[in-house]
Amino acid sequence: MKQYDIAIIGGGPAGYSAALYCARAGFTTAVLEQLAPGGQMSTTNEIDNYPGFDDTVDGFDLAEKMQRGAERFGAVTEIADVNSVQLAGDTKLLKTSEGEFEARAVIIATGAAPRELGVAHEKELRGRGVTYCATCDGRMYKDKTVVVVGGGNTAAADALFLAKLCKKVYLVHRRDSLRATRLYIDALQKMKNVEFVWNSQVAEFLYDAKVQGVVVKNVQTGENRRIEAEGIFVAVGRVPNTSMFQGQLELDDAGYIVADESTRTSLPGVYAVGDVRTKVLRQIVTAAADGAVASHYIEEYLA
């Protein structure tokens, strides 16, 4: 059994930021990552909204830089799939594919995955025209035509953001009205380059090397419509990676770990950082900030 002061589950920007600060404070620190560093960030080819870079940066390259930065202060990366956890008590137990780990404190940085449409070829077109973050990737589609899929606040906010950049925005929703708040709806209706495509869902992606558009199907009439576009922004929700924590930590109605700006959860010695916790804005920079905050409160806890 391996023992550390702090075990961090997840090697995205939140996890490695926490690792850097914790290791730098003198704690033995392990990052448990099942595949490679970066999380969702590593799937983004061009990041242009992370401070400190005067040009776009590849998400995988940024992830490797974050990993090396944490390891420079002594953090250890353990490639292991965490299967179950016991978080109550002074000593936390993590059972993984590579054996058991004990820690005095645990930071959960497991993130949240975007909910996919389930349309054929969606995965292979990710990064080639299919994207799940307007604020991350929107500027790549300046003066182009895009499609936003969804009907909630996220989809409406994405459509508004993109309407200020793009030549044309199609907002595709499977119902005849948005679920978004009135504020968003009123603002969208004033945008002359936004077209609503009601009662419709994406049936097919049009593509060659990259996305060329979509075929949408009217759920009432069955009629298909072809929409040419360079980018497809999917905004139908996210799925937090919290299944293994059910019954141990307080989760909100959407399954996110309840943790405020202190990152402290409902159990002493357990902290949640990044996209996995309840928060307003889920971006790389806010995830990294969470990691630094968590280290501060862990120092207090372990003292």
Side-chain angles (χ1 to χ4, degrees):
M1 181 179 294
K2 296 183 179 181
Q3 297 176 323
Y4 292 93
D5 292 324
I6 302 163
I8 301 169
I9 308 174
Y16 273 113
S17 171
L20 185 153
Y21 277 85
C22 290
R24 191 166 176 266
F27 297 110
T28 56
T29 304
V31 177
L32 280 63
E33 171 56 50
Q34 60 181 347
L35 293 173
Q40 295 293 322
M41 177 179 70
S42 64
T43 66
T44 303
N45 294 329
E46 295 183 10
I47 296 170
D48 61 6
N49 61 349
Y50 191 76
F53 294 89
D54 57 2
D55 200 353
T56 59
V57 59
D58 180 80
F60 188 78
D61 290 342
L62 181 56
E64 288 192 323
K65 290 178 184 293
M66 290 182 175
Q67 180 183 7
R68 291 195 296 269
E71 291 176 348
R72 180 164 67 98
F73 291 104
V76 175
T77 298
E78 301 273 6
I79 301 300
D81 191 2
V82 180
N83 300 317
S84 65
V85 295
Q86 297 175 20
L87 300 176
D90 293 337
T91 300
K92 323 297 182 184
L93 177 64
L94 289 71
K95 296 183 178 180
T96 81
S97 59
E98 304 304 314
E100 296 184 351
F101 292 78
E102 279 189 349
R104 299 165 61 199
V106 168
I107 300 175
I108 299 169
T110 49
R115 182 173 280 112
E116 298 180 346
L117 296 175
V119 177
H121 308 294
E122 182 173 359
K123 283 184 171 62
E124 63 195 72
L125 289 171
R126 184 168 183 168
R128 294 164 52 199
V130 174
T131 179
Y132 300 85
C133 180
T135 53
C136 305
D137 302 329
R139 295 204 64 85
M140 293 190 292
Y141 297 90
K142 184 177 174 62
D143 299 325
K144 297 180 179 180
T145 298
V146 299
V147 173
V148 176
V149 185
N153 283 338
T154 299
D158 286 356
L160 278 173
F161 176 80
L162 293 166
K164 298 172 184 177
L165 296 170
C166 301
K167 178 175 65 177
K168 176 82 173 183
V169 177
Y170 292 94
L171 181 53
V172 177
H173 185 40
R174 60 184 177 178
R175 298 186 175 90
D176 61 2
S177 61
L178 298 179
R179 293 178 287 107
T181 59
R182 190 76 242 173
L183 181 67
Y184 283 125
I185 295 172
D186 291 343
L188 278 172
Q189 290 174 339
K190 295 176 183 176
M191 304 298 290
K192 295 181 179 180
N193 62 337
V194 174
E195 180 178 334
F196 297 94
V197 184
W198 301 118
N199 300 312
S200 299
Q201 59 187 19
V202 175
E204 180 184 347
F205 290 111
L206 303 173
Y207 66 97
D208 188 3
K210 294 183 178 181
V211 162
Q212 296 177 336
V214 291
V215 173
V216 298
K217 180 179 180 179
N218 189 295
V219 297
Q220 294 183 341
T221 67
E223 180 182 357
N224 285 339
R225 175 184 175 185
R226 180 188 179 105
I227 300 175
E228 294 184 357
E230 290 95 334
I232 314 299
F233 289 82
V234 180
V236 293
R238 299 177 72 82
V239 182
N241 299 314
T242 56
S243 57
M244 80 172 76
F245 310 116
Q246 291 181 359
Q248 298 191 60
L249 295 175
E250 182 184 357
L251 308 179
D252 67 13
D253 292 339
Y256 291 94
I257 297 173
V258 175
D260 61 16
E261 294 303 312
S262 73
T263 74
R264 289 178 290 199
T265 70
S266 55
L267 280 180
V270 181
Y271 304 79
V273 297
D275 289 2
V276 76
R277 78 171 181 89
T278 51
K279 61 192 306 182
V280 175
L281 184 64
R282 293 183 170 89
Q283 292 284 289
I284 298 171
V285 69
T286 62
D290 281 356
V293 172
S295 72
H296 169 77
Y297 287 101
I298 285 177
E299 282 195 66
E300 289 187 355
Y301 171 76
L302 293 181

